[in-house]
Amino acid sequence: MTREVRAFAITVLALAVLGLPAGLLWSALSPRPPYQVIERTPTLADPSTQALIAADGWFATVTGALGLACGTLAWFLSRRVQLPVLLGLALGGAAGAFAAFWAGTTFTVGVVAVEAAAAPGVAFLPGPLTLTAKGVLVSWPLLATGVFGFLEGMHGYRESPLRRPHPPAGTTAPPPGPTPPG
């Protein structure tokens, strides 16, 4: 029982901690939407900007790639305690995604300059990094558990006795094991 609890806890903690550098990477890669100050209030300069959608895409890309890598690595390392590790991937992936969201929105990494077309003399500021599609928060746990399940399914299929051909009708199947020399 302690081996299962330890495998679950290590998986959750590892993925949650991995969320912090993932959030910093997301912050470095994502463009910032342009804001302009109108009467001391920051206002989105271009409501049709693609920077908001690009931030969601970069978050899904960074956390999705980590989900695939974590799920694959976890499958190879967890041959004896698969269920706790699978549950740890789900919970740890969610915790890692929220940690990445927090780190990316809290710390600004990379270029913060923005460009927009406007009248001369109008100053633009980089806007805050945020997610407009909150559904991308599940990309990490979804892909981690999905690739883990896929690999386990492929391994189970390869090792399945159902893959062996059936003997012809009216004959009995030889017992499994080595064939006698003959």
Side-chain angles (χ1 to χ4, degrees):
M1 179 70 171
T2 59
R3 181 180 358 167
E4 289 85 4
V5 172
R6 185 174 57 235
F8 174 78
I10 288 172
T11 305
V12 170
L13 289 174
L15 270 62
V17 168
L18 193 57
L20 298 175
L24 297 176
L25 179 63
W26 171 53
S27 177
L29 294 173
S30 296
R32 302 290 196 265
Y35 277 74
Q36 63 184 0
V37 179
I38 300 175
E39 298 176 8
R40 292 197 201 169
T41 305
T43 306
L44 189 61
D46 183 11
S48 65
T49 184
Q50 298 296 314
L52 300 172
I53 297 169
D56 296 343
W58 277 113
F59 187 86
T61 301
V62 168
T63 58
L66 281 171
L68 291 173
C70 291
T72 302
L73 183 65
W75 185 81
F76 281 109
L77 295 177
S78 69
R79 300 308 306 151
R80 294 180 186 244
V81 286
Q82 289 186 328
L83 184 59
V85 170
L86 180 63
L87 295 174
L89 284 173
L91 184 62
F98 281 107
F101 176 70
W102 175 81
T105 56
T106 304
F107 303 106
T108 301
V109 179
V111 178
V112 294
V114 295
E115 295 180 14
V122 176
F124 288 102
L125 304 171
L129 186 61
T130 187
L131 290 176
T132 55
K134 301 290 192 234
V136 298
L137 286 168
V138 299
S139 60
W140 190 337
L142 184 67
L143 288 172
T145 57
V147 75
F148 188 94
F150 174 76
L151 291 172
E152 182 57 30
M154 293 304 295
H155 177 72
Y157 174 73
R158 187 178 55 203
E159 300 296 322
S160 173
L162 299 175
R163 281 191 60 217
R164 297 188 186 104
H166 297 292
T171 62
T172 59
T179 57

